[in-house]
Amino acid sequence: MSRPRVALFVTCLVDAMRPRIGFAALATLEAAGCEVVVPEAQTCCGQPALNSGDRATAEDLARRTIAMLEPFEAVVIPSGSCAGTIRSHYPEILEHDPEWLARAQAVSAKTYEIMAYLDEVRGWRPDDVTLPATKAAYHDSCSGLRELGIKAQPRRLLKAVEGLDLVPLKGEETCCGFGGTFCVKYPAISNAIVEEKAAAIEESGADLLLAGDLGCLMNMAGKLHRRGTPVRAFHTIELLAGMGDGAAIGEPA
Amino acid sequence: MSGFTDRADAALADRILKIAVERTAGTAEAKRAIAVDAFPDFDRARDRAAAIKDHVIAHLGYYLEQFEANAVAAGARVHWARTADEACRIVIDLCKAAGARSVARSKSMLGEEIGLPHALAEAGITRVETDLAEHIIQLADERPSHIIWPAMHKTREQVSALFKARHRTPHEEETIAAMAESARRELRTQMLGADVGISGANFLIADTGAICTVTNEGNAELSLVPPRMQIVTAGIEKIVPSMAHATHMLRMLARSATGAALTQYTTFYTGPRRPGDRDGPEEMHIVLVDNGRTTMREEGLAEMLRCIRCGACMNHCVVFRQIGGHAYGGTYPGPMGAVLTPVLDGLAKSRDLPNACTLNGKCQEVCPVRIPLPTLLRGWREKSWREGLEPKTMRAGLGVWAWFARRPALYRMASGMALRSMRVLGRGWISKLPLADGWTAHRDMPAPEAQSFMAQYKKGRRR
């Protein structure tokens, strides 16, 4: 089988707040037969600028990111929201510039959220991962779900983890209230939304909370901790990489 | 100062409001899901609905002229209003010409949009709201909080108390039926005595000149048949080419709004009473209102003109579900309101609305005419940024971040410093974070690892 040369874009949030998600992505991609390169010039995909209305900055960061990612066979990102920005929004924001539109479309076509890449492109399964009997709730993060159709892929992959039981979560497709800068611009509304999310997670009886975006996870885990709920939160890729026995989000390493 | 956050805070503190909104929106959400599941190929039907509207919006002049010619041929008079004030003036002049002292009004969001209740009051004309929820709103002297359920923010218990205080012969029994009967007694006498009836329109049918209204209480009929003069006010985007198109849109409208296959009453009116008709108004006037719609088409908001006012976007919106409709401060709440209010009130007054959205995309997912609401909201944010309406602290913060994000080496240095200072605050959970108190006021923040991914990767860590 060929070994595709894959760029891993770790996302600025993973880079700063939870590097182990990046290492989990690296390990699973290698296990799935990829040659993984982490381009050094990566910073942020520009989503905060795009969603704040700062179009000029968003365009500039899009061009830089596209140029950086062009040499690779595929681009893989452990985040539905950053992958969605590159896949769906780069071609939109560069529409007025024919040369860059073509380059954006080319990069867009080979950019994948990591669950979709592992499941659909590589047909990979986490063969040796086992857990003591654990009940997990899975939250469908909005951008991945609605911009990229990430729904079945993480569930198919998680099904292969021995000992893991996915329990139903009421409102699993409902936004957690993070929304990037929304949570700092409108903290009271964001809080009301995540309160409901946390209550639903508690009600599910899960020991573990899983999702594919660190922003949403920090929001939900931070609220659960404030409420004193002992649910441990991981990015799905950490669990699939066999790192579910390590420190959960917010636990001292 | 828009006051949005103040209104939102007040709404968040109102526990009864939360219960009321959740009851209605939650039921609507569940019923819509069942109706959509039972609909054969709902997605294709949505494509068709969007295509019908796009076609009409692209050829608006043609269809409006066709509608006018057919409505006139049927005996109606058609008036054109460029602005809200013009529309109100036309309606008031018509009422005065008819010597009207009272009007029976059937709920219409356009009427709210142009400020018709206020204009009628100023002209000294008594207004009877014939829609049950609008009647509640009128008694409470409030504004609608939802486009389908104007009194959504009130619980049954609150309505009961209001009726008891304000109806001439209030209900005694605490049942919905008794309350409805009380409203019926109160309203019918006033409705039957009204000189003029004013309604909106759900669809204007170009090839016949017909008006289509949908209600669940039959109040559009009751407010338009007994009076001598009928006035219909409608936005110019309400036009559809033919009855076949109208019926397709009706199927989308009712299911998206309430999950019902159809509303209780769907009525098509064409012209005033004809010789030999047993009832109907002697005069029929149709006021076609632009009020910013033409400019929307020119300013990249053409897709918003597809909106058929079903309310699905707000019923499914996490933000609306927490704060209710009044917090939005405009005629139209929720995601569709966040797109429309800046058109109607100006962006400077309403920049909060397109911002107070998580861009989760649920509204677009449920929209029966596939309006790309998140994209349109982003468009307003861009305009607000360009025009310098965004708060200075936000601009400055984003500016610093953007400066570093363009310079990878400096970005790593700066983020490394930021992370080190953050780690000083603790290992594990941080419960108080300077400069991010909006976050830590409500939730804890996980402390970052010792070094960034890139720093560890460069040192050779691979797993």
Side-chain angles (χ1 to χ4, degrees):
Chain A
M1 203 172 166
S2 69
R3 268 171 68 82
R5 205 161 158 269
V6 166
L8 174 63
F9 191 90
V10 294
T11 90
C12 52
L13 208 53
V14 166
D15 177 52
M17 299 303 290
R18 195 159 170 86
R20 66 182 72 211
I21 294 171
F23 290 109
L26 190 59
T28 47
L29 287 170
E30 282 178 351
C34 303
E35 181 195 341
V36 185
V37 180
V38 181
E40 265 198 47
Q42 60 178 284
T43 56
C44 169
C45 68
Q47 193 189 142
L50 176 67
N51 288 345
S52 299
D54 182 359
R55 180 71 171 255
T57 298
E59 275 188 42
D60 185 32
L61 287 172
R63 287 195 177 91
R64 288 165 190 276
T65 307
I66 289 165
M68 176 187 81
L69 297 175
E70 276 171 334
F72 301 94
E73 254 172 84
V75 177
V76 182
I77 310 182
S79 155
S81 108
C82 309
T85 297
I86 296 179
R87 271 191 84 117
S88 315
H89 298 301
Y90 278 10
E92 262 168 38
I93 61 178
L94 294 166
E95 203 179 28
H96 58 94
D97 182 340
E99 188 213 322
W100 277 95
L101 172 63
R103 295 174 72 175
Q105 283 168 337
V107 168
S108 161
K110 63 183 178 186
T111 296
Y112 298 89
E113 188 274 340
I114 192 162
M115 298 298 145
Y117 187 74
L118 290 172
D119 176 64
E120 291 172 0
V121 182
R122 302 304 295 171
W124 177 80
R125 288 291 178 269
D127 291 331
D128 311 321
V129 182
T130 55
L131 286 174
T134 307
K135 284 193 274 186
Y138 181 84
H139 164 78
D140 292 282
S141 291
C142 302
S143 302
L145 176 68
R146 300 198 181 92
E147 290 180 359
L148 305 173
I150 306 299
K151 178 83 188 168
Q153 306 90 330
R155 289 178 171 82
R156 276 198 292 265
L157 288 163
L158 286 167
K159 234 182 199 159
V161 174
E162 249 187 75
L164 188 76
D165 178 20
L166 277 183
V167 298
L169 172 63
K170 191 180 153 216
E172 62 192 0
E173 291 189 7
T174 304
C175 175
C176 72
F178 174 65
T181 51
F182 172 82
C183 64
V184 288
K185 287 198 266 186
Y186 301 95
I189 304 172
S190 173
N191 173 54
I193 297 169
V194 73
E195 282 279 4
E196 271 186 31
K197 179 59 81 174
I201 294 163
E202 287 162 10
E203 211 179 291
S204 76
D207 320 301
L208 217 58
L209 170 67
L210 299 173
D213 270 275
L214 181 56
C216 318
L217 278 162
M218 283 168 58
N219 184 40
M220 294 182 287
K223 175 48 82 177
L224 288 165
H225 189 257
R226 182 65 60 95
R227 284 165 70 106
T229 310
V231 173
R232 307 175 74 221
F234 287 97
H235 190 289
T236 313
I237 201 65
E238 295 181 80
L239 207 77
L240 295 175
M243 291 161 66
D245 53 359
I249 291 174
E251 287 174 5
Chain B
M1 181 60 204
S2 71
F4 169 78
T5 41
D6 294 337
R7 290 193 300 270
D9 284 346
L12 290 170
D14 185 344
R15 294 182 56 86
I16 292 175
L17 172 72
K18 172 73 184 157
I19 293 167
V21 170
E22 203 53 41
R23 272 185 195 166
T24 312
T27 307
E29 182 182 16
K31 286 189 172 168
R32 178 201 167 274
I34 294 167
V36 165
D37 274 349
F39 194 102
D41 211 345
F42 191 66
D43 277 339
R44 269 190 59 194
R46 294 205 297 174
D47 290 341
R48 178 159 178 242
I52 291 170
K53 291 295 288 194
D54 281 353
H55 172 81
V56 169
I57 293 155
H59 304 93
L60 201 52
Y62 172 83
Y63 286 111
L64 284 168
E65 280 174 26
Q66 193 189 5
F67 173 79
E68 181 182 32
N70 288 318
V72 168
R77 277 197 55 199
V78 175
H79 310 258
W80 300 84
R82 273 164 302 199
T83 63
D85 286 349
E86 238 177 73
C88 286
R89 198 160 60 237
I90 292 168
V91 174
I92 301 295
D93 287 350
L94 287 168
C95 290
K96 283 182 176 163
R101 273 169 310 177
S102 66
V103 302
R105 197 168 155 260
S106 168
K107 173 190 163 257
S108 119
M109 290 313 296
L110 183 90
E112 300 294 329
E113 176 190 317
I114 61 177
L116 194 52
H118 180 72
L120 288 166
E122 271 202 336
I125 299 168
T126 308
R127 167 174 62 99
V128 187
E129 291 292 347
T130 64
D131 177 271
L132 179 58
E134 283 284 342
H135 170 63
I136 294 166
I137 295 299
Q138 188 177 22
L139 288 185
D141 198 18
E142 289 175 11
R143 295 182 67 186
S145 68
H146 189 285
I147 64 172
I148 301 285
W149 299 281
M152 170 198 240
H153 57 287
K154 289 201 173 314
T155 60
R156 178 195 315 157
E157 296 78 4
Q158 289 174 320
V159 172
S160 175
L162 187 65
F163 281 4
K164 279 187 174 155
R166 305 288 304 276
H167 281 174
R168 280 163 293 190
T169 43
H171 59 290
E172 282 168 13
E173 233 185 295
E174 291 294 330
T175 62
I176 299 274
M179 286 159 67
E181 189 51 42
S182 172
R184 189 173 284 129
R185 275 196 305 271
E186 185 78 15
L187 285 173
R188 286 250 163 121
T189 48
Q190 295 180 51
M191 277 154 87
L192 293 173
D195 306 307
V196 170
I198 304 177
S199 80
N202 290 89
F203 302 101
L204 306 169
I205 299 162
D207 71 353
T208 60
I211 307 282
C212 173
T213 57
V214 299
T215 68
N216 273 320
E217 296 145 40
N219 58 302
E221 291 78 353
L222 272 174
S223 59
L224 291 178
V225 172
R228 285 174 289 124
M229 181 191 276
Q230 172 181 6
I231 303 174
V232 176
T233 57
I236 52 174
E237 85 288 7
K238 291 281 180 182
I239 204 126
V240 289
S242 74
M243 184 68 120
H245 298 102
T247 51
H248 183 74
M249 302 310 283
L250 280 168
R251 298 181 79 197
M252 308 307 288
L253 174 60
R255 282 176 177 83
S256 301
T258 62
L262 266 184
T263 47
Q264 309 284 349
Y265 295 85
T266 301
T267 309
F268 297 86
Y269 313 88
T270 317
R273 177 201 297 230
R274 273 160 290 238
D277 283 355
R278 289 178 54 197
D279 52 26
E282 289 156 23
E283 274 182 57
M284 179 185 188
H285 296 268
I286 302 166
V287 186
L288 297 175
V289 184
D290 186 323
N291 202 30
R293 285 159 177 76
T294 312
T295 50
M296 281 170 65
R297 206 169 57 160
E298 289 151 10
E299 284 176 7
L301 293 168
E303 289 144 324
M304 194 61 216
L305 293 170
R306 290 181 195 155
C307 181
I308 55 173
R309 310 290 194 253
C310 71
C313 60
M314 56 197 76
N315 295 340
H316 290 77
C317 171
V318 280
V319 174
F320 180 91
R321 291 273 279 260
Q322 294 299 339
I323 64 177
H326 282 153
Y328 289 81
T331 302
Y332 303 101
M336 55 84 84
V339 175
L340 284 174
T341 304
V343 177
L344 299 168
D345 294 354
L347 186 57
K349 265 176 71 184
S350 55
R351 62 150 288 278
D352 265 309
L353 303 185
N355 274 292
C357 157
T358 68
L359 297 176
N360 66 69
K362 184 71 187 178
C363 50
Q364 182 174 355
E365 185 185 292
V366 298
C367 176
V369 286
R370 296 197 184 281
I371 300 171
L373 289 154
T375 306
L376 300 181
L377 293 169
R378 245 189 227 105
W380 277 128
R381 295 182 187 189
E382 279 172 23
K383 188 155 198 247
S384 181
W385 188 276
R386 273 200 312 275
E387 294 181 355
L389 302 174
E390 294 301 298
K392 281 201 186 73
T393 46
M394 183 70 204
R395 293 180 72 94
L398 209 63
V400 170
W401 162 85
W403 192 88
F404 280 108
R406 290 185 179 108
R407 295 163 179 82
L410 291 175
Y411 174 87
R412 304 223 182 290
M413 214 174 74
S415 65
M417 280 159 56
L419 293 176
R420 269 195 296 283
S421 56
M422 227 174 128
R423 289 201 77 253
V424 171
L425 298 166
R427 292 176 73 232
W429 291 102
I430 299 169
S431 55
K432 215 169 165 56
L433 193 61
L435 302 177
D437 48 351
W439 179 284
T440 47
H442 304 292
R443 29 177 137 47
D444 296 324
M445 172 72 90
E449 281 179 36
Q451 285 183 313
S452 74
F453 174 88
M454 289 305 271
Q456 297 184 53
Y457 181 80
K458 275 186 172 173
K459 284 185 186 158
R461 180 176 163 192
R462 288 297 176 267
R463 52 191 59 234

